[in-house]
């Protein structure tokens, strides 16, 4: 059975005990991710610019105040361009990043016979989705690389052209650390948060029954 066969299975579209079907669950994850991506893009752009200017052209670390001032200057000079920089790769990345991640997460959950994602599903999703996620992240960062000098984003096709000359290897830098980051995010967010919410609700329910 292929990993993606669950998308064509009738059970994928059947409403489960939690009131939604697996495909509805996946659609909700993707929709929420797209909305979040647009909303937090200015913050992400500013954070990455500060990180970018943390080192000067000589590769020497500069004071945080200097890096912050550099990022502020870029936003003041071109507020809209800076705020929306890297948005298209991130929106496209919702598909390239989230579909593999949530696909493996929910696919593993379905194949294991569970109603909700567990820690094993989160681990599998983090490891198997990283090679899809990392190139999108690298393209997004490269778009902002010369924002200070040019005031515009670096074209995506130019970035891909430069990467192709090195067999796209630069786009996969940092894949292994990303696996750890994704695992922590999945365990604490996608899996841990619902479990914590249920635990709190159970404790509140038990406390309410004892007080009667």
């Amino acid at each position: 059975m292929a990993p993606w066969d669950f998308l064509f299975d009738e059970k994928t579209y059947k409403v489960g005990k939690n009131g939604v079907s697996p495909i509805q669950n996946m659609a909700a994850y993707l929709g929420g991710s797209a909305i979040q991506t647009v909303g937090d893009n200015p913050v992400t752009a500013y954070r990455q610019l500060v990180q970018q200017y943390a080192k000067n052209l000589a590769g020497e670390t500069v004071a945080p105040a200097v890096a912050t001032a550099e990022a502020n200057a870029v936003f003041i000079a071109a507020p809209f361009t800076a705020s929306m920089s890297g948005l298209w790769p991130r929106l496209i990345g919702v598909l390239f990043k989230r579909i593999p991640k949530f696909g493996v997460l929910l696919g593993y959950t379905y194949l294991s016979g569970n109603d909700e994602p567990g820690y094993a599903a989160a681990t599998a999703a983090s490891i198997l989705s990283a090679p899809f996620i990392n190139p999108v992240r690298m393209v997004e960062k490269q778009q902002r690389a010369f924002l200070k000098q040019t005031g515009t984003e670096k074209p995506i096709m130019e970035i891909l052209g430069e990467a192709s000359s090195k067999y796209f290897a630069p786009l996969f830098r940092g894949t292994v650390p990303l696996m750890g980051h994704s695992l922590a995010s999945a365990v604490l967010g996608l899996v841990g948060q619902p479990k914590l919410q249920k635990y709190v609700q159970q404790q509140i329910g038990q406390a309410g029954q004892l007080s009667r």
Side-chain angles (χ1 to χ4, degrees), residues 29-45 83-95 97-98 140 144:
Y29 278 134
L30 290 175
S33 297
I35 294 172
Q36 177 188 349
T37 298
V38 175
D40 71 6
N41 199 74
V43 178
T44 299
S83 296
M84 295 294 104
S85 62
L87 179 60
W88 279 112
R90 294 189 73 207
L91 284 176
I92 296 172
V94 168
L95 297 178
K97 293 161 65 176
R98 300 303 196 267
E140 175 195 344
R144 302 188 182 102

Side-chain angles (χ1 to χ4, degrees), residues 88-89 92 96 131-143 146 153-172:
W88 279 112
I92 296 172
F96 284 97
F132 297 92
I133 297 174
N134 205 72
V136 177
R137 293 174 66 248
M138 296 303 292
V139 169
E140 175 195 344
K141 291 181 178 180
Q142 281 298 306
Q143 275 206 301
F146 301 98
E153 296 175 310
K154 189 174 182 178
I156 295 177
M157 295 308 298
E158 183 178 338
I159 296 171
L160 295 178
E162 293 176 355
S164 66
S165 64
K166 297 181 180 179
Y167 304 100
F168 298 99
L171 299 183
F172 292 92

Side-chain angles (χ1 to χ4, degrees), residues 1 5-6 9-12 22 105-114:
M1 184 177 183
D5 281 355
F6 77 97
D9 195 305
E10 183 180 349
K11 294 181 180 179
T12 304
L105 184 75
L106 299 176
Y108 187 97
T109 302
Y110 166 75
L111 293 175
S112 62
N114 298 321

Side-chain angles (χ1 to χ4, degrees), residues 41 51 59 130 157 164 171 196 199-200 204:
N41 199 74
Q51 292 175 340
M157 295 308 298
S164 66
L171 299 183
L196 178 60
Y199 173 78
V200 171
I204 293 175

